[in-house]
Amino acid sequence: KMLQGVIENGTGRIAKKLGVPSSAKTGTTDNFTDAWFVGFTPRIAAGVWVGYDLNRTLGKNETGAKAAGPIWTRFMIDASSDHDDADFPIPDKIVQIEIDSKTGLLADSSCGKSYVEYFLDGSQPVRSCMK
């Protein structure tokens, strides 16, 4: 659940096309020499690396999301086509909290846009976005 935000609201949004619960981490090295997209569903995990054997740039703005994300998404659509869309189980001691997008604090009715985030119980924000 904790890396689902990468796909729902972050750099890995392209993977929303998969249509099943999924989580990911994208990455890019300095000067765009390497790009990766590593992700998983409740049933399958895969990673895609894009780069050269030599220290050579992929090109301006060739990030993990842009260069590797579409490859990962295409592969996962095929690889998970016979799987149901079971959601990730939430481990004990993990709490689900509505968070304000701008401040990262607790969302309340006076905040702007918000999203759900997961925390180890006791580590979640305790202040509201308006306090």
Side-chain angles (χ1 to χ4, degrees), residues 48 52 61-62 77 111 115 123 127:
V48 172
Y52 295 102
N61 299 321
E62 289 297 324
I77 287 170
C111 299
Y115 62 95
S123 69
R127 291 185 331 162

Side-chain angles (χ1 to χ4, degrees), residues 11-71:
T11 55
R13 286 185 299 274
I14 187 166
K16 283 185 179 184
K17 293 178 182 180
L18 183 54
V20 300
S22 50
S23 298
K25 177 68 178 108
T26 64
T28 310
T29 56
D30 293 340
N31 300 318
F32 307 101
T33 56
D34 295 282
W36 63 88
F37 195 108
V38 177
F40 54 95
T41 70
R43 304 205 192 291
I44 187 170
V48 172
W49 169 81
V50 177
Y52 295 102
D53 290 340
L54 304 172
N55 189 16
R56 179 176 155 197
T57 186
L58 295 168
K60 186 177 179 175
N61 299 321
E62 289 297 324
T63 63
K66 183 178 175 188
I71 299 166

Side-chain angles (χ1 to χ4, degrees), residues 88-99:
F88 293 103
I90 300 174
D92 293 339
K93 299 184 181 179
I94 298 296
V95 294
Q96 179 178 316
I97 306 292
E98 192 78 18
I99 299 296

Side-chain angles (χ1 to χ4, degrees), residues 95-100 105-107 115-119 121 124-125:
V95 294
Q96 179 178 316
I97 306 292
E98 192 78 18
I99 299 296
D100 174 59
L105 300 174
L106 293 175
Y115 62 95
V116 173
E117 192 61 80
Y118 297 85
F119 297 89
D121 194 14
Q124 68 268 30

